[in-house]
Every structure is written in C-alpha cells, then in structure tokens.
Amino acid sequence: MLFAVIACGSISSCDDSKKDYVIDGVIHGGGNFEGETIYLVPFFNANSEKIDSAVIHNSRFVFKGKADAPEVYIIRMRPMIKIFVEELVFVREPGYIRTTMAEHSAVKGTPLNDSIQQWHTYNVQTKERIANLSKEVRRARQRRDQKLVDSLLHISDELLMEFNNKNRAMAAANRDNAFGQFLELYEKK
C-alpha cells in the first residue's frame, strides 16, 4: 500500500514537471540595462497575480514557472527602454524558451513560439516593404509621375492583401491554440 502511495506521488510530480517552463532571455540595445526590471505580462486578462518580474544582470534574465496551458504573454520594460528594445509577444508554454530582446526582438524553442516568430518576421518585413513603397510614392508624386504613383500603389495594395490573407490563413490554422487567439485579435485591429 505504501508503495502505491509513493508511486502515485511520483507520477503526479512527473506529470507536474511537464508543465515547467524556462524563459532564458538576453537583451541588446542602445543602452546599459544592468539592474533594470523586465516584466512578464499576460496578453489577455492581465492582473497583478499573473505578472512576474526579473532583474537584468549581465544583459540576461530568466523566468521560471509552471504553465497549466499555453498563454500569450508580453515581455515588457519601462517605457523609455522601448526606444531601444521592442516588446516581445510570445506564448508562455511548457519547455525551454529562448528570447532575444533587441530592436527586433525574437523568440524560439517551442512549437508555438517558433510559429509566432515566423509570423513576426514576416510581419516586420512586410511592413518595411510597405513603408519603402510609401516613400517611393511620395518621391514619384514630387516628380509628378502619376503612372509610377499608380503602379506603386497597386503593388502596395497587392502586398497588403497578401499580408492580410496570410494572417487569416495562419489564424485559421491555429484556431485551437494560444497563437491563433492572438492572431484573431490582431486581425480585428
């Protein structure tokens, strides 16, 4: 009987360890972040009980805990640091999650975070392409080249349509997980 109790206790602790997560972070940017506090904040339904914090030491920080279910979170810092470092949206889920906080922050290490990083990279690249097209449109308007303006606007519209279609497809493919919930909200903005 005692063996059965010990075995059950071991099994439940083994199952409990499957919920463990480690967020191993490094921070780069135009400043010294030693001693700064970094926050782990739920994207949905944030409250003080769900917010965690860590202090940056040697450009590194770590969060550890248990994740009962994958949830979308944001790594945040005080507002002045956002000039140098992009906040990071990611999925807090069991596993080892590596983050890089920089001008373009990144995450990897778990399936949902690898997907969210792929989406984020595509998002940033597409927005940069659209911004560059907008600059070209302004220059073409200054030169009064309407034919070029129309062509550039057409390319920009197609790029934006492709971007929106890809986001909708990714949201549909991830409908049943935390990343999909985030994408649905992103689509509504």
Side-chain angles (χ1 to χ4, degrees), residues 30 58 76-77 105 112 126-127 152:
N58 292 330
R76 290 201 154 139
M77 301 178 72
S105 294
L112 290 177
T126 302
K127 287 182 177 180
L152 292 169

Side-chain angles (χ1 to χ4, degrees), residues 6 15 18 22 26 32 44 50 103 105 149:
I6 292 171
D15 288 341
K18 291 179 182 178
V22 174
V26 64
N32 177 5
F44 302 105
K50 290 185 169 185
E103 180 182 357
S105 294
V149 168

